Amino acid sequence: VMDYVAPAEDVRTQVKVHGDGYVVQAAIPWALIGVKPEKGLVLRADFGVTHGDPGGTRTRLRTHWNNQHTGLVDDAVFELQMEPRNWGEIELE
């Protein structure tokens, strides 16, 4: 269940463009997502991006780190749906 989606002022992001691609780095405070980090902790998660058209007005592509069921575009309701069965695992070191 997703209660709501809202901007978080203490999240920091940085985007670096490299040729025809890019790298996005995000710093998200553990407290913001309710996790106490410890070695060996395994989290299930996914990270996604919606890509716009050249004019920046419509979503034309949706890609995720682990979820390959991302062909749906132009439907904000389904683009925001969480699909935990398609998430990957992240182990903290």
Side-chain angles (χ1 to χ4, degrees), residues 10-87:
D10 45 352
V11 171
R12 302 288 177 246
T13 59
Q14 182 178 31
V15 178
K16 295 180 182 176
V17 178
H18 298 282
D20 62 351
Y22 58 91
V23 173
V24 177
Q25 293 180 314
I28 305 167
W30 290 110
L32 183 65
I33 57 175
V35 172
K36 181 181 177 193
E38 53 188 66
K39 185 176 181 170
L41 178 65
V42 176
L43 303 170
R44 294 198 37 84
D46 204 4
F47 307 94
V49 177
T50 54
H51 307 265
D53 64 9
T57 58
R58 300 285 307 236
T59 299
R60 293 296 178 212
L61 176 64
R62 180 177 70 140
T63 57
H64 287 250
W65 161 65
N66 200 71
N67 180 3
Q68 300 305 303
H69 182 246
T70 59
L72 180 68
V73 294
D74 293 335
D75 189 336
V77 173
F78 288 104
E79 287 172 7
L80 292 175
Q81 265 186 335
M82 294 187 293
E83 296 184 83
R85 69 182 175 276
N86 295 331
W87 292 357

